[in-house]
């Protein structure tokens, strides 16, 4: 990553000519979305995120701000935004049908199976198949920093998650460490049938890294990382090729 870059990317995704994506660092602001030459032509779509399993399909920019935690589109020029500060941002890309999704995976949305709702919507609208899906998992609070209570353990257990794979008991009675990243990885592979080699991860912990925002560390709701994915307007792709 060069000094100037304010967001992290995944090299496999950068090779897709029609795609733009990034996992914002703390230094990446809403103004940067407008000033970055590559992103300036996009229309940004932000949700009122609510830790649900609600996912929307967009043919164009929505008239009002939608309340939910996942967006799916095959439309060019829409930049899907997920804001996080410890939760896991997940992008899905159907490389065959040219479809993208952005999902806000906190612990609640994860056990509520928001990724299933997302993939179901991609199947319904585009007949997407698991074998053609790539997934990208960005920075989140990682397991050694993420102690949770019994209630969360029980929610995952009741939803059929493999709890011995994603939880470790804490020394504190009735408390556990949750590996949120692994929970979503497991769900993508075991429940949704993605190929492990098609899942890419940025193994960075929001709590440990000062260059990232963490709600648990900052205790400040307004500080959130901006994560984005979108399909380049074709005109711009052609222009880039001709240059
Ligand atoms: Zn950490």
């Amino acid at each position: 990553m060069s000094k100037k870059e304010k967001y992290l990317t995944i090299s496999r995704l950068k090779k897709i000519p029609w795609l733009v994506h990034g996992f914002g660092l703390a230094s990446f602001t809403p103004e940067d979305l407008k000033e970055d030459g590559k992103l300036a032509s996009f229309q940004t779509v932000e949700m009122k995120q609510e830790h649900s399993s609600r996912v929307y399909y967009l043919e164009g920019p929505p008239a009002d701000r939608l309340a939910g935690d996942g967006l799916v589109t095959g439309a060019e020029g829409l930049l899907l935004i997920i804001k996080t500060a410890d939760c896991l941002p997940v992008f899905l890309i159907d490389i065959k049908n040219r479809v993208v999704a952005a999902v806000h995976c906190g612990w609640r949305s994860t056990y509520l199976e928001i990724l299933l709702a997302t993939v179901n919507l991609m199947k319904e609208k585009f007949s997407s198949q698991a074998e053609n899906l790539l997934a990208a998992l960005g920075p989140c609070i990682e397991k050694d920093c993420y102690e949770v209570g019994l209630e969360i353990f029980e929610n995952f257990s009741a939803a059929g998650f493999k709890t011995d794979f994603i939880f470790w008991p804490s020394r504190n009675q009735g408390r556990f460490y949750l590996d949120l990243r692994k929970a979503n990885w497991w769900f993508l592979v075991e429940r949704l049938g993605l190929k492990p080699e098609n899942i890419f991860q940025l193994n960075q912990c929001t709590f440990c890294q000062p260059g990232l925002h963490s709600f648990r560390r900052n205790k400040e709701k307004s500080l959130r990382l901006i994560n984005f994915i979108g399909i380049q307007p074709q005109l711009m792709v052609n222009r880039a090729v001709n240059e």
Side-chain angles (χ1 to χ4, degrees), residues 120-152:
N120 279 346
L121 198 51
M122 295 170 88
K123 284 182 180 169
E124 181 193 323
K125 300 291 181 185
F126 300 96
S127 303
S128 294
Q129 292 176 303
E131 67 203 57
N132 299 319
L133 296 182
L134 305 183
L137 281 53
C140 71
I141 190 164
E142 295 201 322
K143 70 175 167 70
D144 294 337
C145 300
Y146 197 27
E147 197 188 55
V148 300
L150 182 62
E151 184 204 334
I152 294 183

Side-chain angles (χ1 to χ4, degrees), residues 178-197:
L178 167 59
D179 192 332
L180 184 63
R181 177 187 300 289
K182 210 170 181 184
N184 281 281
W185 184 93
W186 178 87
F187 194 85
L188 287 167
V189 173
E190 296 298 331
R191 287 286 188 80
L192 301 179
L194 269 76
K195 296 179 186 171
E197 65 265 32

Side-chain angles (χ1 to χ4, degrees), residues 4-240:
K4 278 174 79 182
E5 282 188 78
K6 293 181 174 179
Y7 51 83
L8 305 167
T9 54
I10 286 173
S11 56
R12 172 67 183 86
L13 270 53
K14 282 192 90 170
K15 289 182 186 149
I16 303 170
W18 49 267
L19 188 77
V20 297
H21 79 287
F23 296 99
L25 302 171
S27 57
F28 187 68
T29 65
E31 288 68 45
D32 290 318
L33 283 172
K34 291 175 206 134
E35 283 162 17
D36 184 313
K38 204 165 59 173
L39 304 176
S41 64
F42 280 83
Q43 188 141 12
T44 57
V45 184
E46 254 186 68
M47 279 173 292
K48 186 182 174 294
Q49 296 174 187
E50 53 178 19
H51 300 284
S52 68
S53 59
R54 200 165 301 143
V55 184
Y56 297 92
Y57 167 63
L58 298 176
E59 284 181 344
D64 299 308
R65 185 172 285 213
L66 301 164
D69 295 275
L71 295 168
V72 172
T73 194
E76 297 170 1
L78 290 184
L79 201 64
L80 312 182
I81 307 282
I82 294 292
K83 289 187 170 177
T84 54
D86 290 339
C87 291
L88 177 72
V90 175
F91 299 148
L92 296 174
I93 302 107
D94 179 337
I95 43 173
K96 195 175 169 202
N97 295 305
R98 199 187 279 197
V99 179
V100 297
V103 193
H104 174 229
C105 294
W107 62 264
R108 196 182 295 276
S109 300
T110 299
Y111 89 76
L112 291 173
E113 306 187 330
I114 191 169
L115 288 175
L116 173 64
T118 309
V119 169
N120 279 346
L121 198 51
M122 295 170 88
K123 284 182 180 169
E124 181 193 323
K125 300 291 181 185
F126 300 96
S127 303
S128 294
Q129 292 176 303
E131 67 203 57
N132 299 319
L133 296 182
L134 305 183
L137 281 53
C140 71
I141 190 164
E142 295 201 322
K143 70 175 167 70
D144 294 337
C145 300
Y146 197 27
E147 197 188 55
V148 300
L150 182 62
E151 184 204 334
I152 294 183
F153 178 95
E154 286 174 340
N155 283 326
F156 275 89
S157 181
F161 279 76
K162 197 177 171 195
T163 49
D164 59 351
F165 189 67
I166 61 172
F167 286 99
W168 286 263
S170 158
R171 282 185 196 167
N172 300 316
Q173 182 72 26
R175 307 280 291 171
F176 297 84
Y177 290 103
L178 167 59
D179 192 332
L180 184 63
R181 177 187 300 289
K182 210 170 181 184
N184 281 281
W185 184 93
W186 178 87
F187 194 85
L188 287 167
V189 173
E190 296 298 331
R191 287 286 188 80
L192 301 179
L194 269 76
K195 296 179 186 171
E197 65 265 32
N198 285 343
I199 303 176
F200 304 90
Q201 306 192 53
L202 290 169
N203 292 304
Q204 302 211 21
C205 177
T206 47
F207 190 87
C208 289
Q209 302 217 15
L212 300 169
H213 288 316
S214 165
F215 180 69
R216 284 211 172 188
R217 171 162 43 82
N218 305 134
K219 309 268 186 264
E220 174 54 71
K221 270 196 168 163
S222 64
L223 294 176
R224 293 196 291 168
L225 303 167
I226 300 170
N227 309 286
F228 61 87
I229 187 165
I231 302 171
Q232 288 253 31
Q234 249 344 87
L235 195 67
M236 289 196 62
V237 176
N238 292 339
R239 199 183 297 156

